[in-house]
Amino acid sequence: MDDGRRTGREYETRVPKYLAIYRVLADRIADGRYPVDAPLPAQRELVEEFDVSLMTVRQAIRALESDGLLETRHGVGTFVRRPAFSYGLTGLRSLSQDLVEQGIELETEVLDSGLVVPPADVSARLGVPEGDRVLAVERLRSTRTTGAPVPLLLQTSYLPAEIGSRTGVEPLRRQSLYRLLADIGTPVRQASETIQAVALTSQQAARLHREPGSPALLSCRLSRGENGAPLVDDRALLVGDTVITAERAAAGTNLAYEHVPAVRGAR
C-alpha cells in the first residue's frame, strides 16, 4: 500500500545524488521513521539501498550533520539529533514564550516547589533580607517529536514570598510565569540577563537526558516590574545545542561580552 513516503529507490535523479539522498533521509527524520536518538542505518546499508558509492552516502550524512539533523557519536555511530531551538535576545518574553513563538509545543513538569532560604546572591537581587524565605519553583520544560518528551531546559524561579503567595504553583503547569504575573497585576516591565557556558552536574544531566559534564547554557535573569521592583530571579539551564540569536539596531538590544570564571551548574 502506498503511504506517500519515498523509498530509497525512488529518490530524485535530477539533482546531485548526495542531495537527493539527503532529502529522503531528512523526510524520514521529519515524519518519525527515524526518531530522535535512533541510530541511522549503517552506511553500507544505505549504499545498497540507494545504489551509490560510499563517498556519496558520506556526503549526504555530512550535510545532514551540518544542518543539525544528525550527530556522530565517536565509537558508537550516527544518530538522529535532538532538535535545537533558537533563543532570541530581543523583546521582553519569558523562556516559554520564546519557545512557543517558534511553534514548539511545550510540556511543563513542576519538579519541586516551596518556601526556601535562597542563595545569598538571589536574596540580594530580589531585595529581601538575607535569611528570609522566598518561593522557589523548579520546572522541566520539554517538547515532543514522535515519542518520549525531549527536555529543553531546566528552570528554577525565585519569587519574593508575597508575590509567590499570589501566583501559586499549580498555574505554572499551564502558563508562563510572565503571563501569570501580568494576570495578578504585576507585569514585567524590564529584565537583565547574563548567559554563560557551564557543564551539567550528574543530577542536572539526568533530568535533561544528557551525559554528566555535557555543555549547557546557564541563563540568569532578573525580571522587574513597575519602578524597577524585583519580581522573579530565574536560573535556567538550556541544552547545549541551543542557538542564541540577536537582532541589532541603533536603538535596540545592548549586548555586552565579559569573561567570567566558569560556573558548574545551577540549583
Side-chain angles (χ1 to χ4, degrees), residues 116-135:
V116 303
V117 176
D121 64 321
V122 173
S123 295
R125 284 158 62 90
L126 288 178
V128 301
E130 192 168 340
D132 280 13
R133 296 195 297 174
V134 301
L135 176 66

Side-chain angles (χ1 to χ4, degrees), residues 9 42-52 57:
R9 297 295 181 181
Q43 293 182 10
R44 292 292 179 185
E45 292 181 34
L46 297 175
V47 165
E48 181 178 348
E49 177 183 356
F50 293 103
D51 192 22
V52 295
V57 166

Side-chain angles (χ1 to χ4, degrees), residues 99-258:
L99 296 175
V100 170
E101 286 288 325
Q102 296 173 52
I104 297 175
E105 295 186 10
L106 278 184
E107 296 181 6
T108 298
E109 179 183 359
V110 177
L111 301 176
D112 194 14
S113 65
L115 292 174
V116 303
V117 176
D121 64 321
V122 173
S123 295
R125 284 158 62 90
L126 288 178
V128 301
E130 192 168 340
D132 280 13
R133 296 195 297 174
V134 301
L135 176 66
V137 182
E138 187 175 33
R139 290 168 288 169
L140 180 66
R141 306 298 186 89
S142 304
T143 188
R144 285 185 184 269
T145 51
T146 58
V150 178
L152 295 180
L153 62 95
L154 182 64
Q155 183 174 14
T156 302
S157 302
Y158 298 95
L159 297 87
E162 186 275 329
I163 294 176
S165 66
R166 294 163 59 200
T167 60
V169 174
E170 185 60 31
L172 291 174
R173 303 178 195 274
R174 302 182 301 274
Q175 60 180 304
S176 77
L177 180 54
Y178 272 27
R179 184 166 297 169
L180 186 57
L181 288 169
D183 288 346
I184 65 170
T186 53
V188 172
R189 297 302 188 194
Q190 56 181 299
S192 56
E193 181 175 17
T194 62
I195 300 174
Q196 65 185 101
V198 297
L200 295 177
T201 66
S202 296
Q203 182 183 38
Q204 293 162 350
R207 288 178 169 175
L208 289 168
H209 298 179
R210 301 286 167 125
E211 293 295 324
S214 295
L217 293 176
L218 172 61
S219 161
C220 297
R221 181 192 295 194
L222 178 65
S223 300
R224 303 180 182 88
E226 301 291 349
N227 302 316
L231 297 178
V232 55
D233 190 357
D234 270 313
R235 308 295 170 93
L237 281 165
L238 297 81
V239 292
D241 44 12
T242 302
V243 177
I244 294 180
T245 62
E247 295 294 333
R248 300 170 185 260
T253 301
N254 180 29
L255 299 178
Y257 299 87
E258 179 183 6

